[in-house]
Amino acid sequence: MRLRSDIFVSALVRRLFARGDFAAVEHKGEEQAGAIFIRQRFRDGSETLYAPAPQSLFDEEESGTRLFEIRIERKEPQEIRETLDRELKFDPDLWIVELETDDIGDIVPFAGFRANPLD
């Protein structure tokens, strides 16, 4: 069984604040199973967008976890905004979480790259 979206987002925001970084929910989606997009802002003004990993990257053991992949890496905020606007037209129930931190590798589980930090 998969962790509810609202609980996952709440835990993510709390962990960022506990580290002294900033996090905010830019768009609240469906509480039970809304897709979660993460917008990471860097000090130089660039941004990276993380999206839910495709189901094909999950094995049976990971079927209940949330894994992310990099959708757009270190681009201008306008490009990220345009992508998110398109995603919102397709799925208005998604979540957008904005993070201001240099590294999210110890907080966000990535598909195929690193061990899940939430385990």
Side-chain angles (χ1 to χ4, degrees):
M1 194 162 137
R2 196 160 154 169
L3 189 63
R4 292 171 41 133
S5 296
D6 58 345
I7 294 171
F8 183 91
V9 168
S10 178
L12 178 65
V13 169
R14 285 177 185 242
R15 290 185 77 180
L16 260 290
F17 277 117
R19 287 189 349 180
D21 293 321
F22 176 79
V25 176
E26 184 178 319
H27 184 269
K28 183 178 178 184
E30 204 281 318
E31 293 178 352
Q32 296 283 333
I36 301 168
F37 286 76
I38 299 172
R39 185 178 190 173
Q40 182 183 13
R41 295 181 184 257
F42 297 96
R43 293 180 188 166
D44 65 1
S46 65
E47 296 183 10
T48 295
L49 179 64
Y50 302 91
Q55 291 294 312
S56 61
L57 296 178
F58 288 75
D59 59 25
E60 288 183 26
E61 294 175 9
E62 295 175 326
S63 63
T65 62
R66 291 186 181 273
L67 297 176
F68 295 86
E69 67 176 3
I70 295 173
R71 177 75 53 91
I72 301 172
E73 189 168 14
R74 290 231 180 213
K75 297 291 182 179
E76 292 298 314
Q78 184 60 29
E79 185 175 338
I80 304 293
R81 178 78 266 150
E82 290 168 359
T83 300
L84 288 171
D85 288 345
R86 283 192 304 273
E87 291 290 342
L88 279 166
K89 284 181 185 175
F90 178 72
D91 179 11
D93 290 332
L94 64 82
W95 290 76
I96 301 172
V97 182
E98 181 181 321
L99 311 177
E100 289 184 8
T101 183
D102 291 329
D103 185 27
I104 63 172
D106 61 337
I107 292 180
V108 175
F110 291 98
F113 296 109
R114 304 175 185 167
N116 187 340
L118 302 177
D119 285 340

